[in-house]
Amino acid sequence: MTMAEVEKDILTDLEELGDPISRYSFFIECAKECKTLPEEYRTDDYKIKECQVNTWAVLCKDNDRCHFYADSEALLVKGALTLLQEIYENRTEEETSSYKCGLLNEEAFISVFTPKQRKGLEEILFLF
Amino acid sequence: MPDRKSIKNKILNRSDLSKEVVDCVLSSKGLTREEVQKYIHRYVCYKFLLEPEENEGLSMTKLADKSIEKALELKIPIAKEGEKATTCGAAGSSAMKIALLLNAIRKDFDVDIEAHKLGFAKNTNEIGSLVFDALSNKKGA
């Protein structure tokens, strides 16, 4: 699937879930499957400043493929990071640099997050 | 990558079961307080993706904690240790789940229960009692 297709698929799932508690549960369940952040990136250099809790994110490149590593001490944010990983992981630099993720503009995705959490997610998207 | 479809389907299945509970409560005549309490217990467990029969008599906090534990396949306090979210909107995941659940109860059962009363309810019996009273008041009105 293309990045746009993955994003649309995620949104379709969230819209199908419908109510806030179901969507919240969805993010929490996804948090379990977040790709592990290597310890060398668990430093202040990779911390997301807009997040009130400790959240780290890094986009690494390896042979023209991007690898997105992230972690957060807030399960809800970690769930969002897992979904972003699904969109961005193993894509080419060309794909990621030309792609604009629209999830933060979608009510189904963003409605469970507080304004501060949204700011943190916006900062993370700037990495791409 | 997360197995999103399995996660989504699990939640939707439980959501369907919770809707059946709501339909039962709202369409039945003459339910006793105890019957409503039992239904509310089932509703809460379905919303928390827990089994009603395995979680009798637990506090709301414990039910929410178990819901998070089950989701992450981790034991609290390990899950809580890894989650220092008290500064993130001043609510950890368990507290947020309870808040969302209480809103869902008000909406799904169409009951106007004061937020502080619901918020102070310690377990599903107390919530069930509040729902019973609210529904009785509606019918009597």
Side-chain angles (χ1 to χ4, degrees), chain A residues 52-97:
Chain A
Q52 286 185 300
V53 296
N54 289 329
T55 301
W56 303 267
V58 61
L59 189 68
C60 301
K61 292 176 183 108
D62 175 25
N63 291 333
D64 192 42
R65 291 283 164 176
C66 294
H67 300 289
F68 175 44
Y69 299 105
D71 197 1
S72 178
E73 289 173 348
L75 293 173
L76 181 63
V77 173
K78 191 166 176 170
L81 295 173
T82 308
L83 297 173
L84 290 177
Q85 280 180 342
E86 194 183 343
I87 296 172
Y88 283 90
E89 179 59 20
N90 215 30
R91 300 289 178 177
T92 63
E93 198 169 341
E94 189 189 344
E95 282 178 291
T96 58
S97 60

mmCIF file of all heavy atoms in Angstrom, chain A residues 52-97:
data_model
loop_
_atom_site.group_PDB
_atom_site.id
_atom_site.type_symbol
_atom_site.label_atom_id
_atom_site.label_comp_id
_atom_site.label_asym_id
_atom_site.label_seq_id
_atom_site.Cartn_x
_atom_site.Cartn_y
_atom_site.Cartn_z
ATOM 1 N N GLN A 52 4.567 17.041 27.080
ATOM 2 C CA GLN A 52 4.744 17.203 28.515
ATOM 3 C C GLN A 52 5.373 15.970 29.142
ATOM 4 O O GLN A 52 6.067 16.065 30.140
ATOM 5 C CB GLN A 52 3.388 17.469 29.177
ATOM 6 C CG GLN A 52 2.868 18.862 28.931
ATOM 7 C CD GLN A 52 1.590 19.115 29.695
ATOM 8 O OE1 GLN A 52 0.597 18.436 29.496
ATOM 9 N NE2 GLN A 52 1.612 20.086 30.566
ATOM 10 N N VAL A 53 5.104 14.813 28.567
ATOM 11 C CA VAL A 53 5.751 13.599 29.069
ATOM 12 C C VAL A 53 6.928 13.298 28.152
ATOM 13 O O VAL A 53 7.029 13.831 27.052
ATOM 14 C CB VAL A 53 4.786 12.385 29.096
ATOM 15 C CG1 VAL A 53 3.660 12.628 30.060
ATOM 16 C CG2 VAL A 53 4.271 12.065 27.715
ATOM 17 N N ASN A 54 7.789 12.415 28.615
ATOM 18 C CA ASN A 54 8.962 12.078 27.809
ATOM 19 C C ASN A 54 8.539 11.336 26.550
ATOM 20 O O ASN A 54 7.945 10.252 26.630
ATOM 21 C CB ASN A 54 9.925 11.211 28.625
ATOM 22 C CG ASN A 54 10.619 11.991 29.716
ATOM 23 O OD1 ASN A 54 10.869 13.179 29.566
ATOM 24 N ND2 ASN A 54 10.917 11.333 30.818
ATOM 25 N N THR A 55 8.837 11.925 25.433
ATOM 26 C CA THR A 55 8.532 11.332 24.130
ATOM 27 C C THR A 55 9.749 11.548 23.242
ATOM 28 O O THR A 55 10.297 12.648 23.194
ATOM 29 C CB THR A 55 7.300 12.002 23.490
ATOM 30 O OG1 THR A 55 6.182 11.849 24.358
ATOM 31 C CG2 THR A 55 6.970 11.401 22.130
ATOM 32 N N TRP A 56 10.177 10.484 22.610
ATOM 33 C CA TRP A 56 11.334 10.553 21.721
ATOM 34 C C TRP A 56 10.919 10.096 20.329
ATOM 35 O O TRP A 56 10.091 9.193 20.182
ATOM 36 C CB TRP A 56 12.451 9.627 22.201
ATOM 37 C CG TRP A 56 12.939 9.866 23.593
ATOM 38 C CD1 TRP A 56 13.980 10.636 23.988
ATOM 39 C CD2 TRP A 56 12.409 9.296 24.790
ATOM 40 N NE1 TRP A 56 14.142 10.593 25.349
ATOM 41 C CE2 TRP A 56 13.187 9.781 25.871
ATOM 42 C CE3 TRP A 56 11.348 8.424 25.075
ATOM 43 C CZ2 TRP A 56 12.951 9.423 27.206
ATOM 44 C CZ3 TRP A 56 11.100 8.068 26.394
ATOM 45 C CH2 TRP A 56 11.899 8.574 27.440
ATOM 46 N N ALA A 57 11.511 10.705 19.339
ATOM 47 C CA ALA A 57 11.221 10.288 17.965
ATOM 48 C C ALA A 57 12.435 10.585 17.108
ATOM 49 O O ALA A 57 13.089 11.625 17.285
ATOM 50 C CB ALA A 57 9.990 11.001 17.422
ATOM 51 N N VAL A 58 12.736 9.656 16.196
ATOM 52 C CA VAL A 58 13.865 9.869 15.290
ATOM 53 C C VAL A 58 13.572 9.169 13.967
ATOM 54 O O VAL A 58 12.971 8.103 13.935
ATOM 55 C CB VAL A 58 15.181 9.359 15.917
ATOM 56 C CG1 VAL A 58 15.120 7.874 16.198
ATOM 57 C CG2 VAL A 58 16.366 9.673 15.026
ATOM 58 N N LEU A 59 13.978 9.832 12.908
ATOM 59 C CA LEU A 59 13.830 9.224 11.581
ATOM 60 C C LEU A 59 15.231 8.927 11.063
ATOM 61 O O LEU A 59 16.028 9.841 10.876
ATOM 62 C CB LEU A 59 13.103 10.202 10.644
ATOM 63 C CG LEU A 59 12.689 9.638 9.289
ATOM 64 C CD1 LEU A 59 11.600 8.585 9.451
ATOM 65 C CD2 LEU A 59 12.190 10.750 8.369
ATOM 66 N N CYS A 60 15.519 7.642 10.900
ATOM 67 C CA CYS A 60 16.847 7.247 10.434
ATOM 68 C C CYS A 60 16.769 6.818 8.973
ATOM 69 O O CYS A 60 15.733 6.332 8.531
ATOM 70 C CB CYS A 60 17.376 6.055 11.237
ATOM 71 S SG CYS A 60 17.501 6.407 12.965
ATOM 72 N N LYS A 61 17.888 6.993 8.290
ATOM 73 C CA LYS A 61 17.915 6.564 6.883
ATOM 74 C C LYS A 61 18.978 5.483 6.704
ATOM 75 O O LYS A 61 20.079 5.592 7.231
ATOM 76 C CB LYS A 61 18.202 7.763 5.973
ATOM 77 C CG LYS A 61 17.039 8.739 5.981
ATOM 78 C CD LYS A 61 17.290 9.995 5.193
ATOM 79 C CE LYS A 61 16.114 10.928 5.332
ATOM 80 N NZ LYS A 61 16.337 12.101 6.151
ATOM 81 N N ASP A 62 18.617 4.493 5.945
ATOM 82 C CA ASP A 62 19.518 3.365 5.751
ATOM 83 C C ASP A 62 19.324 2.870 4.324
ATOM 84 O O ASP A 62 18.255 2.326 4.005
ATOM 85 C CB ASP A 62 19.170 2.272 6.781
ATOM 86 C CG ASP A 62 19.977 1.027 6.584
ATOM 87 O OD1 ASP A 62 21.089 1.118 6.025
ATOM 88 O OD2 ASP A 62 19.506 -0.057 7.001
ATOM 89 N N ASN A 63 20.339 3.057 3.468
ATOM 90 C CA ASN A 63 20.208 2.648 2.066
ATOM 91 C C ASN A 63 18.925 3.177 1.425
ATOM 92 O O ASN A 63 18.154 2.416 0.837
ATOM 93 C CB ASN A 63 20.213 1.113 1.940
ATOM 94 C CG ASN A 63 21.570 0.538 2.260
ATOM 95 O OD1 ASN A 63 22.587 1.212 2.100
ATOM 96 N ND2 ASN A 63 21.583 -0.683 2.725
ATOM 97 N N ASP A 64 18.710 4.437 1.550
ATOM 98 C CA ASP A 64 17.547 5.099 0.948
ATOM 99 C C ASP A 64 16.204 4.681 1.556
ATOM 100 O O ASP A 64 15.146 5.005 1.033
ATOM 101 C CB ASP A 64 17.508 4.867 -0.591
ATOM 102 C CG ASP A 64 16.492 5.769 -1.288
ATOM 103 O OD1 ASP A 64 16.420 6.955 -0.917
ATOM 104 O OD2 ASP A 64 15.735 5.285 -2.162
ATOM 105 N N ARG A 65 16.231 3.956 2.641
ATOM 106 C CA ARG A 65 14.979 3.576 3.309
ATOM 107 C C ARG A 65 14.911 4.296 4.657
ATOM 108 O O ARG A 65 15.918 4.425 5.353
ATOM 109 C CB ARG A 65 14.928 2.069 3.544
ATOM 110 C CG ARG A 65 14.786 1.275 2.246
ATOM 111 C CD ARG A 65 13.370 1.332 1.742
ATOM 112 N NE ARG A 65 13.272 0.909 0.358
ATOM 113 C CZ ARG A 65 12.139 0.797 -0.305
ATOM 114 N NH1 ARG A 65 10.986 1.065 0.301
ATOM 115 N NH2 ARG A 65 12.139 0.429 -1.582
ATOM 116 N N CYS A 66 13.717 4.760 5.002
ATOM 117 C CA CYS A 66 13.540 5.471 6.265
ATOM 118 C C CYS A 66 13.043 4.527 7.344
ATOM 119 O O CYS A 66 12.212 3.641 7.081
ATOM 120 C CB CYS A 66 12.510 6.593 6.085
ATOM 121 S SG CYS A 66 13.102 7.869 4.980
ATOM 122 N N HIS A 67 13.581 4.720 8.534
ATOM 123 C CA HIS A 67 13.122 3.940 9.683
ATOM 124 C C HIS A 67 12.758 4.909 10.781
ATOM 125 O O HIS A 67 13.573 5.732 11.192
ATOM 126 C CB HIS A 67 14.226 2.990 10.151
ATOM 127 C CG HIS A 67 14.632 2.022 9.092
ATOM 128 N ND1 HIS A 67 13.826 0.985 8.693
ATOM 129 C CD2 HIS A 67 15.746 1.967 8.312
ATOM 130 C CE1 HIS A 67 14.421 0.314 7.728
ATOM 131 N NE2 HIS A 67 15.581 0.883 7.468
ATOM 132 N N PHE A 68 11.514 4.812 11.213
ATOM 133 C CA PHE A 68 10.999 5.728 12.232
ATOM 134 C C PHE A 68 10.937 4.998 13.565
ATOM 135 O O PHE A 68 10.249 4.006 13.717
ATOM 136 C CB PHE A 68 9.600 6.214 11.809
ATOM 137 C CG PHE A 68 8.909 7.071 12.814
ATOM 138 C CD1 PHE A 68 9.583 8.075 13.484
ATOM 139 C CD2 PHE A 68 7.566 6.890 13.097
ATOM 140 C CE1 PHE A 68 8.946 8.876 14.413
ATOM 141 C CE2 PHE A 68 6.908 7.687 14.038
ATOM 142 C CZ PHE A 68 7.597 8.672 14.690
ATOM 143 N N TYR A 69 11.738 5.511 14.498
ATOM 144 C CA TYR A 69 11.733 4.945 15.853
ATOM 145 C C TYR A 69 11.138 5.979 16.804
ATOM 146 O O TYR A 69 11.420 7.177 16.680
ATOM 147 C CB TYR A 69 13.149 4.615 16.309
ATOM 148 C CG TYR A 69 13.858 3.592 15.454
ATOM 149 C CD1 TYR A 69 14.851 3.989 14.563
ATOM 150 C CD2 TYR A 69 13.544 2.234 15.530
ATOM 151 C CE1 TYR A 69 15.506 3.057 13.778
ATOM 152 C CE2 TYR A 69 14.196 1.305 14.747
ATOM 153 C CZ TYR A 69 15.173 1.717 13.868
ATOM 154 O OH TYR A 69 15.821 0.795 13.087
ATOM 155 N N ALA A 70 10.344 5.496 17.762
ATOM 156 C CA ALA A 70 9.731 6.452 18.682
ATOM 157 C C ALA A 70 9.281 5.744 19.950
ATOM 158 O O ALA A 70 9.118 4.524 19.970
ATOM 159 C CB ALA A 70 8.526 7.140 18.023
ATOM 160 N N ASP A 71 9.087 6.520 20.983
ATOM 161 C CA ASP A 71 8.519 5.998 22.225
ATOM 162 C C ASP A 71 7.938 7.157 23.018
ATOM 163 O O ASP A 71 8.341 8.311 22.834
ATOM 164 C CB ASP A 71 9.586 5.279 23.055
ATOM 165 C CG ASP A 71 8.975 4.390 24.127
ATOM 166 O OD1 ASP A 71 7.726 4.309 24.219
ATOM 167 O OD2 ASP A 71 9.732 3.757 24.887
ATOM 168 N N SER A 72 6.994 6.870 23.873
ATOM 169 C CA SER A 72 6.413 7.893 24.725
ATOM 170 C C SER A 72 5.976 7.266 26.034
ATOM 171 O O SER A 72 5.597 6.091 26.081
ATOM 172 C CB SER A 72 5.199 8.538 24.057
ATOM 173 O OG SER A 72 4.618 9.492 24.927
ATOM 174 N N GLU A 73 6.052 8.060 27.090
ATOM 175 C CA GLU A 73 5.579 7.582 28.388
ATOM 176 C C GLU A 73 4.066 7.737 28.523
ATOM 177 O O GLU A 73 3.503 7.370 29.543
ATOM 178 C CB GLU A 73 6.327 8.313 29.505
ATOM 179 C CG GLU A 73 7.776 7.857 29.598
ATOM 180 C CD GLU A 73 8.613 8.664 30.567
ATOM 181 O OE1 GLU A 73 8.144 9.726 31.005
ATOM 182 O OE2 GLU A 73 9.748 8.241 30.860
ATOM 183 N N ALA A 74 3.421 8.301 27.526
ATOM 184 C CA ALA A 74 1.954 8.352 27.493
ATOM 185 C C ALA A 74 1.480 7.323 26.477
ATOM 186 O O ALA A 74 1.842 7.375 25.297
ATOM 187 C CB ALA A 74 1.480 9.746 27.095
ATOM 188 N N LEU A 75 0.687 6.374 26.953
ATOM 189 C CA LEU A 75 0.276 5.267 26.090
ATOM 190 C C LEU A 75 -0.509 5.743 24.874
ATOM 191 O O LEU A 75 -0.371 5.190 23.780
ATOM 192 C CB LEU A 75 -0.565 4.273 26.886
ATOM 193 C CG LEU A 75 0.189 3.531 27.983
ATOM 194 C CD1 LEU A 75 -0.776 2.704 28.814
ATOM 195 C CD2 LEU A 75 1.271 2.648 27.389
ATOM 196 N N LEU A 76 -1.321 6.757 25.082
ATOM 197 C CA LEU A 76 -2.139 7.260 23.974
ATOM 198 C C LEU A 76 -1.233 7.805 22.859
ATOM 199 O O LEU A 76 -1.432 7.512 21.677
ATOM 200 C CB LEU A 76 -3.075 8.358 24.492
ATOM 201 C CG LEU A 76 -4.020 8.969 23.480
ATOM 202 C CD1 LEU A 76 -4.997 7.943 22.943
ATOM 203 C CD2 LEU A 76 -4.783 10.130 24.111
ATOM 204 N N VAL A 77 -0.233 8.588 23.268
ATOM 205 C CA VAL A 77 0.703 9.143 22.276
ATOM 206 C C VAL A 77 1.491 8.007 21.615
ATOM 207 O O VAL A 77 1.715 8.014 20.402
ATOM 208 C CB VAL A 77 1.665 10.151 22.953
ATOM 209 C CG1 VAL A 77 2.747 10.608 21.987
ATOM 210 C CG2 VAL A 77 0.882 11.350 23.470
ATOM 211 N N LYS A 78 1.873 7.014 22.424
ATOM 212 C CA LYS A 78 2.631 5.885 21.878
ATOM 213 C C LYS A 78 1.805 5.156 20.810
ATOM 214 O O LYS A 78 2.335 4.709 19.796
ATOM 215 C CB LYS A 78 3.003 4.936 23.006
ATOM 216 C CG LYS A 78 4.001 3.863 22.618
ATOM 217 C CD LYS A 78 4.559 3.186 23.863
ATOM 218 C CE LYS A 78 5.481 2.056 23.463
ATOM 219 N NZ LYS A 78 6.226 1.528 24.624
ATOM 220 N N GLY A 79 0.514 5.058 21.066
ATOM 221 C CA GLY A 79 -0.367 4.438 20.069
ATOM 222 C C GLY A 79 -0.370 5.218 18.766
ATOM 223 O O GLY A 79 -0.319 4.641 17.676
ATOM 224 N N ALA A 80 -0.416 6.546 18.873
ATOM 225 C CA ALA A 80 -0.368 7.390 17.673
ATOM 226 C C ALA A 80 0.958 7.205 16.939
ATOM 227 O O ALA A 80 0.998 7.133 15.706
ATOM 228 C CB ALA A 80 -0.544 8.865 18.054
ATOM 229 N N LEU A 81 2.052 7.087 17.715
ATOM 230 C CA LEU A 81 3.364 6.905 17.105
ATOM 231 C C LEU A 81 3.421 5.584 16.339
ATOM 232 O O LEU A 81 4.039 5.498 15.271
ATOM 233 C CB LEU A 81 4.454 6.928 18.182
ATOM 234 C CG LEU A 81 4.629 8.262 18.913
ATOM 235 C CD1 LEU A 81 5.622 8.116 20.066
ATOM 236 C CD2 LEU A 81 5.080 9.347 17.961
ATOM 237 N N THR A 82 2.775 4.566 16.889
ATOM 238 C CA THR A 82 2.740 3.262 16.208
ATOM 239 C C THR A 82 2.059 3.387 14.847
ATOM 240 O O THR A 82 2.513 2.811 13.849
ATOM 241 C CB THR A 82 1.987 2.235 17.057
ATOM 242 O OG1 THR A 82 2.529 2.238 18.375
ATOM 243 C CG2 THR A 82 2.105 0.838 16.472
ATOM 244 N N LEU A 83 0.989 4.138 14.811
ATOM 245 C CA LEU A 83 0.270 4.318 13.543
ATOM 246 C C LEU A 83 1.105 5.136 12.561
ATOM 247 O O LEU A 83 1.123 4.841 11.357
ATOM 248 C CB LEU A 83 -1.090 4.983 13.800
ATOM 249 C CG LEU A 83 -2.043 4.145 14.653
ATOM 250 C CD1 LEU A 83 -3.307 4.931 15.005
ATOM 251 C CD2 LEU A 83 -2.423 2.855 13.943
ATOM 252 N N LEU A 84 1.815 6.134 13.059
ATOM 253 C CA LEU A 84 2.697 6.902 12.175
ATOM 254 C C LEU A 84 3.824 6.012 11.655
ATOM 255 O O LEU A 84 4.240 6.118 10.505
ATOM 256 C CB LEU A 84 3.281 8.113 12.912
ATOM 257 C CG LEU A 84 2.291 9.234 13.248
ATOM 258 C CD1 LEU A 84 2.975 10.339 14.050
ATOM 259 C CD2 LEU A 84 1.675 9.819 11.986
ATOM 260 N N GLN A 85 4.322 5.136 12.524
ATOM 261 C CA GLN A 85 5.347 4.191 12.076
ATOM 262 C C GLN A 85 4.835 3.362 10.906
ATOM 263 O O GLN A 85 5.566 3.089 9.961
ATOM 264 C CB GLN A 85 5.742 3.234 13.217
ATOM 265 C CG GLN A 85 6.713 3.813 14.201
ATOM 266 C CD GLN A 85 7.066 2.842 15.299
ATOM 267 O OE1 GLN A 85 6.371 1.849 15.557
ATOM 268 N NE2 GLN A 85 8.156 3.116 16.008
ATOM 269 N N GLU A 86 3.605 2.963 10.992
ATOM 270 C CA GLU A 86 3.045 2.128 9.931
ATOM 271 C C GLU A 86 3.038 2.883 8.599
ATOM 272 O O GLU A 86 3.265 2.300 7.546
ATOM 273 C CB GLU A 86 1.628 1.691 10.292
ATOM 274 C CG GLU A 86 1.122 0.573 9.415
ATOM 275 C CD GLU A 86 -0.311 0.173 9.694
ATOM 276 O OE1 GLU A 86 -0.841 0.517 10.771
ATOM 277 O OE2 GLU A 86 -0.906 -0.473 8.812
ATOM 278 N N ILE A 87 2.801 4.187 8.650
ATOM 279 C CA ILE A 87 2.770 4.978 7.406
ATOM 280 C C ILE A 87 4.187 5.177 6.866
ATOM 281 O O ILE A 87 4.438 5.062 5.665
ATOM 282 C CB ILE A 87 2.102 6.352 7.651
ATOM 283 C CG1 ILE A 87 0.634 6.176 8.046
ATOM 284 C CG2 ILE A 87 2.202 7.220 6.411
ATOM 285 C CD1 ILE A 87 -0.039 7.465 8.486
ATOM 286 N N TYR A 88 5.130 5.503 7.762
ATOM 287 C CA TYR A 88 6.448 5.975 7.325
ATOM 288 C C TYR A 88 7.529 4.902 7.249
ATOM 289 O O TYR A 88 8.536 5.096 6.566
ATOM 290 C CB TYR A 88 6.932 7.092 8.255
ATOM 291 C CG TYR A 88 6.252 8.406 7.980
ATOM 292 C CD1 TYR A 88 5.072 8.745 8.624
ATOM 293 C CD2 TYR A 88 6.788 9.301 7.053
ATOM 294 C CE1 TYR A 88 4.435 9.950 8.348
ATOM 295 C CE2 TYR A 88 6.164 10.504 6.780
ATOM 296 C CZ TYR A 88 4.985 10.824 7.439
ATOM 297 O OH TYR A 88 4.372 12.014 7.169
ATOM 298 N N GLU A 89 7.332 3.809 7.941
ATOM 299 C CA GLU A 89 8.399 2.824 8.069
ATOM 300 C C GLU A 89 8.794 2.209 6.725
ATOM 301 O O GLU A 89 7.943 1.783 5.933
ATOM 302 C CB GLU A 89 7.986 1.733 9.058
ATOM 303 C CG GLU A 89 8.991 0.630 9.258
ATOM 304 C CD GLU A 89 10.338 1.108 9.760
ATOM 305 O OE1 GLU A 89 10.421 2.230 10.311
ATOM 306 O OE2 GLU A 89 11.323 0.369 9.577
ATOM 307 N N ASN A 90 10.113 2.172 6.477
ATOM 308 C CA ASN A 90 10.689 1.505 5.305
ATOM 309 C C ASN A 90 10.320 2.157 3.964
ATOM 310 O O ASN A 90 10.411 1.519 2.913
ATOM 311 C CB ASN A 90 10.289 0.022 5.287
ATOM 312 C CG ASN A 90 11.396 -0.841 4.721
ATOM 313 O OD1 ASN A 90 12.566 -0.515 4.842
ATOM 314 N ND2 ASN A 90 11.016 -1.929 4.089
ATOM 315 N N ARG A 91 9.942 3.410 4.026
ATOM 316 C CA ARG A 91 9.650 4.138 2.786
ATOM 317 C C ARG A 91 10.947 4.762 2.272
ATOM 318 O O ARG A 91 11.879 4.988 3.044
ATOM 319 C CB ARG A 91 8.626 5.254 3.056
ATOM 320 C CG ARG A 91 7.304 4.740 3.597
ATOM 321 C CD ARG A 91 6.520 4.001 2.553
ATOM 322 N NE ARG A 91 5.281 3.486 3.100
ATOM 323 C CZ ARG A 91 4.372 2.842 2.392
ATOM 324 N NH1 ARG A 91 4.557 2.615 1.090
ATOM 325 N NH2 ARG A 91 3.273 2.398 2.966
ATOM 326 N N THR A 92 10.966 5.109 0.992
ATOM 327 C CA THR A 92 12.147 5.779 0.455
ATOM 328 C C THR A 92 12.133 7.244 0.894
ATOM 329 O O THR A 92 11.075 7.782 1.278
ATOM 330 C CB THR A 92 12.163 5.740 -1.084
ATOM 331 O OG1 THR A 92 11.029 6.470 -1.575
ATOM 332 C CG2 THR A 92 12.106 4.296 -1.603
ATOM 333 N N GLU A 93 13.313 7.853 0.783
ATOM 334 C CA GLU A 93 13.414 9.261 1.159
ATOM 335 C C GLU A 93 12.515 10.101 0.261
ATOM 336 O O GLU A 93 11.886 11.078 0.704
ATOM 337 C CB GLU A 93 14.868 9.716 1.027
ATOM 338 C CG GLU A 93 15.148 10.983 1.783
ATOM 339 C CD GLU A 93 16.631 11.280 1.855
ATOM 340 O OE1 GLU A 93 17.462 10.378 1.652
ATOM 341 O OE2 GLU A 93 16.948 12.439 2.120
ATOM 342 N N GLU A 94 12.440 9.704 -0.996
ATOM 343 C CA GLU A 94 11.605 10.450 -1.946
ATOM 344 C C GLU A 94 10.132 10.378 -1.525
ATOM 345 O O GLU A 94 9.411 11.367 -1.543
ATOM 346 C CB GLU A 94 11.783 9.863 -3.348
ATOM 347 C CG GLU A 94 11.131 10.721 -4.432
ATOM 348 C CD GLU A 94 11.117 10.028 -5.792
ATOM 349 O OE1 GLU A 94 11.851 9.043 -5.995
ATOM 350 O OE2 GLU A 94 10.358 10.478 -6.655
ATOM 351 N N GLU A 95 9.704 9.192 -1.113
ATOM 352 C CA GLU A 95 8.306 9.044 -0.698
ATOM 353 C C GLU A 95 8.013 9.913 0.524
ATOM 354 O O GLU A 95 7.004 10.608 0.581
ATOM 355 C CB GLU A 95 8.025 7.584 -0.313
ATOM 356 C CG GLU A 95 7.818 6.634 -1.473
ATOM 357 C CD GLU A 95 7.605 5.214 -0.968
ATOM 358 O OE1 GLU A 95 8.556 4.596 -0.430
ATOM 359 O OE2 GLU A 95 6.479 4.713 -1.092
ATOM 360 N N THR A 96 8.897 9.831 1.518
ATOM 361 C CA THR A 96 8.592 10.540 2.773
ATOM 362 C C THR A 96 8.706 12.054 2.605
ATOM 363 O O THR A 96 7.919 12.795 3.190
ATOM 364 C CB THR A 96 9.515 10.098 3.922
ATOM 365 O OG1 THR A 96 10.869 10.316 3.558
ATOM 366 C CG2 THR A 96 9.302 8.637 4.269
ATOM 367 N N SER A 97 9.681 12.495 1.779
ATOM 368 C CA SER A 97 9.856 13.948 1.661
ATOM 369 C C SER A 97 8.706 14.589 0.884
ATOM 370 O O SER A 97 8.380 15.756 1.087
ATOM 371 C CB SER A 97 11.199 14.280 1.017
ATOM 372 O OG SER A 97 11.260 13.705 -0.267
#
